[in-house]
Amino acid sequence: MLGDDFMQRKIMMTRKRYLLLAAALIFVAVLALSLMLGSTGFGLPDIRTGTGRALLDLRASRIAAGLLVGAALSVAGCVLQTVLRNPLAEPYILGVSSGASVGTAIVMASGLAALYPLLLPLGSFTVAIITVVLIISIAQRAGGSHMPQNLILTGVVTGSVLSSVLMLIITFAGTHTVRSITWWLLGNLQCGSWEMLAICGVPIMLSILYLTAQANKLNALLLGHENAHNLGVNTALTIPLLISVATLMTACAVALSGIIGFAGLIVPHILRRRFGSNHCFLLPGSALAGGLFLLLCDTLGRSCLPPHEIPVGVITALSGGPFFLYLLTRKQQ
Amino acid sequence: MIELRNIEKSYGEKKVLSQISLTIRQGEMAALIGANGAGKSTLLKIISGALPAQGKALIQGRKIRSMAAARRAGIIAVVPQEIPSTTPLRGYEFVMLGRTHRLPRFGAPGAADREAVERAMASTGTAAFKHRFLSDMSGGERQRLAVAIAFAAEPRIILLDEATSHLDLNHRVEIMQLLRAMNRDQGVTILMAVHDLMLASRFFDRLILLQEGKIIQDAAPQAVLTEDILAGAYGCRIRTIQLPDELGTCVVPI
């Protein structure tokens, strides 16, 4: 028995080492691909010219935005799925991203975004957190937020209402603002400046750090709220805090890159199925894999149909939509 | 020590517990018995602090609901009725949940945590389940792991809600003997909601009989498990037979 245990542990350690090596290699490969591939063709931009330097700067900022936004959406999806005990929970499907986009659009339409960029994530977070509270309370009144259909239906309907609010904002906005809101809404990683990246990136990274520190509590929450309470989790405080932090990450991601759907669903699901749900590995794994996934989608979007560029939100929706339907039908069965 | 004073609990209009006053001293091994809906599980939830109630629920002289979560989990461990088969964890990760209140925020569990988990898994005969997912286990195997979680927590009190009902005879007796040994050797208080009256009579020193949310008997098994008392509590005719060699009382419904 002890020999079997030793052998199994050895096999798992070897697997983990190979896995880490493979992850590092994939990371480097995707990073290199993303830096070299674009609508202008394959290869590193010539940094001796001003245009080349600008192109390199542009691609580097896109890579940083992709890694940050992908990590934020995947980790937020992972946390929401565990806390709400709902495998289909995800910022976009739940309508949280729509709430965040309304907040961001209000700030953009008011013209304050250019003067105070910090207002973008702030406005985004304010409306997103109101949306989350609203969705969970409605779903609970409808029979329990842990029931996938209740939560998803409430999220979809709230998302539709918020989309109409967004249309209303666009209707009353000026021509220039309409163009920037529309382009941003499609979901793209061309966030504009390194300053904006820092403003949204710091809360995202701090949130990932905080959530990683809560990994053991998230593991306990896998058994349900009452069992987590019995295992020493202050559920009355921890659950609202976890939801708020997941919302903050989503809000920052939306303020940075618009609505990018399904990234928070695909990545955690694949990782859970392959490696289990121990959040000590799942959260950092989701952050890394989520970042890489979005980077890959963006690279594909800006190089597959040159000189056109397909927004990354379109690519994730095209791949994530069918994946969501597959999960939904599997769940029903 | 568990101390309950005038506990009252209602779900909406329906009163489920009424005027419950009870003291369970440290090191006691007591069972809550009674028909379905008598209030056993609700009482356990109030003692664990999961449910609010009117009256006073004290653990070691302190109000359970105002204790810090980690401190409370260090004193009381709860074994639930059933663990969901969809729990996406491996056996070892699952039992490590018993150490949630002691684990470091960052980094791997310490040596003391690992040793406590290894000990708990060895004593509950679940060491072979370390690397298996819970979804690949039978209900009985998952339930033994649930008991292992409580052991890994190294608590002073263990509350069990029908925790052995999914186990076969062999494992049921094994778990009860383990609980008995913990109670005897380490002075751990055991309070368990039980439906199996023969099991209750064999392993517990004290039986607390609930009927419609009230305590109607609280005494040694021989005093509680009589045909008249049980017939009144369960609403059916019952024959009891005293077994030799301290094997308890055989309870047969007629």
Side-chain angles (χ1 to χ4, degrees):
Chain A
M1 185 72 79
L2 270 173
D4 282 356
D5 191 38
F6 178 74
M7 277 309 287
Q8 267 204 313
R9 222 186 260 184
K10 207 173 167 187
I11 291 168
M12 284 180 85
M13 285 300 288
T14 317
R15 262 192 207 160
K16 259 186 195 172
R17 267 185 215 135
Y18 279 125
L19 207 72
L20 275 173
L21 189 71
L25 285 175
I26 292 170
F27 189 78
V28 173
V30 173
L31 228 62
L33 194 72
S34 194
L35 206 60
M36 290 197 273
L37 210 59
S39 52
T40 53
F42 186 78
L44 269 178
D46 186 0
I47 50 167
R48 286 168 301 184
T49 65
T51 319
R53 278 196 296 275
L55 199 61
L56 192 70
D57 184 67
L58 210 64
R59 286 184 187 172
S61 74
R62 275 181 94 127
I63 289 173
L67 290 175
L68 278 170
V69 172
L73 294 176
S74 296
V75 172
C78 185
V79 169
L80 289 173
Q81 282 152 24
T82 301
V83 173
L84 299 172
R85 298 181 65 206
N86 194 322
L88 299 177
E90 193 261 346
Y92 174 67
I93 300 164
L94 284 182
V96 184
S97 298
S98 300
S101 67
V102 167
T104 312
I106 291 171
V107 177
M108 283 171 104
S110 67
L112 290 170
L115 295 172
Y116 310 104
L118 191 65
L119 282 179
L120 281 172
L122 268 178
S124 176
F125 176 65
T126 309
V127 184
I129 197 82
I130 294 169
T131 311
V132 170
V133 173
L134 198 72
I135 290 167
I136 293 175
S137 0
I138 295 171
Q140 261 165 359
R141 290 190 75 169
S145 61
H146 60 284
M147 294 181 75
Q149 293 86 345
N150 281 348
L151 201 67
I152 301 306
L153 272 176
T154 317
V156 168
V157 174
T158 314
S160 304
V161 174
L162 287 165
S163 297
S164 306
V165 175
L166 204 60
M167 292 305 134
L168 206 66
I169 294 168
I170 291 172
T171 308
F172 289 104
T175 321
H176 177 68
T177 318
V178 168
R179 268 190 65 193
S180 57
I181 291 180
T182 312
W183 176 240
W184 159 83
L185 265 181
L186 287 171
N188 77 91
L189 298 174
Q190 200 59 67
C191 55
S193 67
W194 284 98
E195 185 196 6
M196 192 58 200
L197 258 175
I199 287 172
C200 296
V202 170
I204 288 175
M205 285 193 287
L206 288 177
S207 299
I208 293 175
L209 204 65
Y210 169 79
L211 291 171
T212 309
Q214 305 298 314
N216 293 318
K217 290 181 181 173
L218 280 159
N219 283 345
L221 281 164
L222 286 170
L223 301 188
H225 296 179
E226 190 181 316
N227 286 326
H229 161 94
N230 292 334
L231 291 168
V233 179
N234 182 352
T235 46
L237 181 73
T238 306
I239 291 171
L241 250 174
L242 289 172
I243 293 175
S244 303
V245 174
T247 308
L248 174 69
M249 296 173 86
T250 308
C252 290
V254 169
L256 200 60
S257 60
I259 297 182
I260 294 174
F262 300 105
L265 185 76
I266 300 173
V267 176
H269 256 282
I270 292 172
L271 291 180
R272 271 185 216 272
R273 278 184 74 108
R274 185 66 190 86
F275 306 108
S277 283
N278 186 347
H279 289 80
C280 300
F281 306 109
L282 189 63
L283 289 176
S286 291
L288 188 68
L292 283 180
F293 169 72
L294 209 60
L295 208 53
L296 212 55
C297 287
D298 185 52
T299 310
L300 191 72
R302 64 188 155 92
S303 57
C304 66
L305 289 173
H308 298 288
E309 200 172 282
I310 305 171
V312 67
V314 175
I315 304 270
T316 58
L318 283 175
S319 53
F323 187 77
F324 174 78
L325 292 174
Y326 157 72
L327 286 178
L328 194 69
T329 48
R330 209 176 54 122
K331 194 84 194 152
Q332 296 290 346
Q333 279 161 17
Chain B
M1 188 168 82
I2 302 167
E3 212 178 339
L4 304 177
R5 286 187 217 146
N6 298 320
I7 293 291
E8 305 264 343
K9 180 71 190 170
S10 305
Y11 291 125
E13 296 278 296
K14 197 186 171 208
K15 189 156 244 178
V16 281
L17 288 175
S18 176
Q19 292 180 343
I20 300 281
S21 290
L22 180 70
T23 302
I24 296 171
R25 286 182 302 280
Q26 189 60 46
E28 269 197 284
M29 189 149 173
L32 290 170
I33 59 170
N36 288 332
K40 304 183 295 290
S41 297
T42 307
L43 191 59
L44 285 180
K45 282 178 187 177
I46 291 168
I47 296 171
S48 70
L51 268 185
Q54 283 184 312
K56 272 189 179 171
L58 308 171
I59 298 291
Q60 297 181 343
R62 293 189 58 190
K63 276 187 187 172
I64 183 71
R65 296 269 300 169
S66 49
M67 273 174 125
R71 186 179 148 79
R72 187 196 61 232
I75 298 172
I76 306 176
V78 183
V79 182
Q81 218 159 13
E82 202 178 354
I83 295 295
S85 60
T86 48
T87 307
L89 290 173
R90 290 185 173 90
Y92 185 83
E93 295 164 339
F94 181 70
V95 179
M96 189 58 85
L97 291 179
R99 307 289 294 177
T100 302
H101 60 289
R102 296 176 202 250
L103 289 176
R105 278 180 184 274
F106 291 104
D113 299 314
R114 290 199 305 273
E115 279 165 23
V117 170
E118 300 271 355
R119 254 196 320 273
M121 294 190 87
S123 66
T124 49
T126 54
F129 306 161
K130 271 182 189 171
H131 307 293
R132 276 172 61 194
F133 277 108
L134 262 75
S135 50
D136 300 334
M137 293 180 195
S138 69
E141 288 171 340
R142 279 196 298 275
Q143 203 55 28
R144 279 156 66 195
L145 280 175
V147 177
I149 283 192
F151 285 8
E154 298 177 327
R156 302 302 301 143
I157 299 167
I158 300 182
L159 307 177
L160 302 98
D161 189 1
E162 284 291 335
T164 56
S165 51
H166 285 88
L167 301 179
D168 58 38
L169 280 179
N170 175 33
H171 286 118
R172 198 177 289 194
V173 171
E174 253 182 44
I175 293 294
M176 287 313 301
Q177 281 168 340
L178 270 169
L179 289 169
R180 195 90 186 115
M182 268 193 106
N183 168 261
R184 189 184 54 231
D185 304 337
Q186 296 167 38
V188 176
T189 308
I190 312 281
L191 179 61
M192 180 169 171
V194 193
H195 266 309
D196 185 340
L197 297 178
M198 285 175 66
L199 199 77
S201 72
R202 182 173 167 199
F203 288 101
F204 292 88
D205 307 320
R206 179 178 170 190
L207 302 188
I208 301 157
L209 177 59
L210 288 166
Q211 189 182 1
E212 290 172 359
K214 287 183 180 165
I215 295 175
I216 56 164
Q217 289 289 326
D218 181 358
Q222 298 90 329
V224 177
L225 299 180
T226 67
E227 291 174 0
D228 290 344
I229 292 173
L230 293 179
Y234 287 90
C236 64
R237 285 180 63 208
I238 282 169
R239 173 74 50 83
T240 60
I241 304 156
Q242 200 60 43
L243 298 171
D245 305 326
E246 295 182 338
L247 286 176
T249 308
C250 179
V251 180
V252 188
I254 302 168

